[in-house]
């Protein structure tokens, strides 16, 4: 290993620090301030560790945790696109996805080639949401803001005037794909906000 | 699995959210605000993933990542005790360590017994810093604030009027124990702040 390699590793880690300044629509559980995407990524990794028994058989929790640690780094360039913003149309728009691809090129491109390729492959897998590991990771990414909204008294459901139908479509279907019991459990507790 | 089990898992995850409100002495790399212990834990897990090639043979990076995700949760009750505060005497004082043990009892005690015991075992192992996994995790916990100080123009070295000798003793020796090449590399870059 040369010093060049370490310099590239630290260039990536220093750049990653900026994710702590990307703000999300969701607040902390106590409602005191918006959550940032760095601490959100930590919380999700802790979700994976704590709720591993909710994953379908064969899911590799260590890979899920790695995906969740990396999944939001592209927001350093693109920002967080709230799932309920623009009436639900902005989050997975072609424009957003294209910008995220460019961000992934730049940010993972700071790394030595072997790490660039392995991190990028994990991020691509998460984005595609097709493997069992990625599906479970996506479920956790959707369920954590639901818990924050439940704790903070409605949160983004109120901000964006979300209906139960929209919650089922935009959030519930994604949670149910990778962790069906989690969706049953949190939906029951969310119902009171949509009467 | 019963609903009680899920309720306990979510009670722990909701309580963990409070770590995002625990402020550290170290700032973000851009110096804009103090770092919190939640985002710090994410950054450290990313350090482990990115700098895995600096660990001694036999270190299990997945276990290191799990330790780092959990290592600061006790600060929800105890707060962050900066390593250079009280002239270096507060960080590992008997009073601090006792308070952290009580915090670990309470916070991990929110979990179902199997998770309580496995998370607590990881935390105890990290604190003892004797296994290769824990030594590497501790090294990363010490090197990340050094990088933040380098990026932000001195940071806590200036706040606490730290000497090179103190840096070597309080920080360098811990980094060198688990990741000797990292200490050589960052020390060289830190020297300019201690001339």
């Amino acid at each position: 290993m040369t010093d060049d390699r370490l310099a590239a590793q630290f260039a990536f880690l220093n750049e990653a620090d900026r994710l702590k300044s990307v703000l999300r629509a969701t607040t902390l559980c106590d409602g005191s301030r918006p959550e940032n995407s760095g601490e959100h990524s930590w919380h999700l990794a802790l979700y994976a560790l704590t709720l591993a028994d909710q994953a379908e058989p064969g899911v590799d929790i260590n890979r899920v945790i790695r995906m969740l640690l990396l999944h939001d780094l592209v927001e350093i360039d693109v920002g967080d696109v709230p799932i309920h913003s623009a009436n639900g149309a902005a989050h997975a728009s072609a424009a957003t996805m294209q910008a995220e691809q460019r961000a992934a090129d730049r940010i993972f491109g700071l790394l030595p080639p072997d790490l660039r390729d392995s991190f990028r492959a994990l991020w691509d897998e998460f984005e595609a949401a097709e493997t069992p590991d990625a599906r479970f990771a996506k479920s956790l990414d959707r369920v954590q803001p639901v818990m924050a909204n439940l704790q903070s008294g409605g949160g983004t459901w109120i901000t964006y005037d979300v209906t139960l139908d929209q919650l089922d479509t935009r959030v519930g279907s994604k949670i149910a794909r990778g962790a069906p019991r989690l969706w049953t459990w949190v939906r029951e507790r969310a119902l009171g906000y949509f009467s």
Side-chain angles (χ1 to χ4, degrees), chain A:
Chain A
M1 285 175 296
T2 66
D3 270 9
D4 282 357
R5 181 174 172 87
L6 260 186
Q9 287 161 306
F10 278 119
F12 169 78
L13 289 168
N14 289 339
E15 181 68 17
D17 197 75
R18 296 175 59 199
L19 192 61
K20 302 168 188 171
S21 300
V22 173
L23 298 186
R24 295 166 43 79
T26 311
T27 65
L28 301 192
C29 286
D30 65 7
S32 58
R33 63 166 174 82
E35 186 185 39
N36 73 60
S37 294
E39 62 200 4
H40 165 71
S41 299
W42 163 73
H43 208 180
L44 285 184
L46 195 63
Y47 264 66
L49 203 54
T50 306
L51 295 168
D53 59 4
Q54 295 291 327
E56 58 182 284
V59 165
D60 179 342
I61 290 297
N62 292 320
R63 291 190 78 247
V64 170
I65 289 173
R66 288 170 183 230
M67 280 181 204
L68 291 169
L69 293 173
L70 299 170
H71 84 293
D72 268 348
L73 283 169
V74 294
E75 294 184 357
I76 290 170
D77 289 357
V78 182
D80 180 62
V81 183
I83 199 161
H84 297 300
S85 67
N87 203 24
H91 185 77
S93 73
T96 300
M97 291 176 74
Q98 229 170 33
E100 290 183 347
Q101 289 289 331
R102 281 194 303 271
D105 290 346
R106 183 186 75 76
I107 295 164
F108 295 125
L110 296 169
L111 288 160
D114 59 321
L115 291 173
R116 175 196 66 205
D117 294 346
S118 65
F119 287 15
R120 178 59 179 265
L122 279 169
W123 183 78
D124 287 339
E125 183 179 336
F126 174 83
E127 284 295 299
E130 279 160 14
T131 64
D133 292 355
R135 281 204 306 267
F136 187 59
K138 282 271 182 190
S139 295
L140 299 178
D141 191 27
R142 290 288 182 277
V143 84
Q144 185 256 8
V146 172
M147 286 309 296
N149 283 352
L150 285 174
Q151 295 293 305
S152 67
T156 56
W157 299 330
I158 294 167
T159 318
Y160 292 110
D161 200 15
V162 176
T163 66
L164 182 59
D165 225 42
Q166 289 168 340
L167 184 72
D168 280 335
T169 310
R170 296 176 192 161
V171 175
S173 64
K174 310 280 168 58
I175 299 175
R177 247 187 112 211
R181 276 198 67 242
L182 285 187
W183 177 232
T184 308
W185 199 86
V186 297
R187 188 179 191 276
E188 206 170 287
R189 281 149 185 83
L191 281 177
Y193 290 93
F194 298 93
S195 54

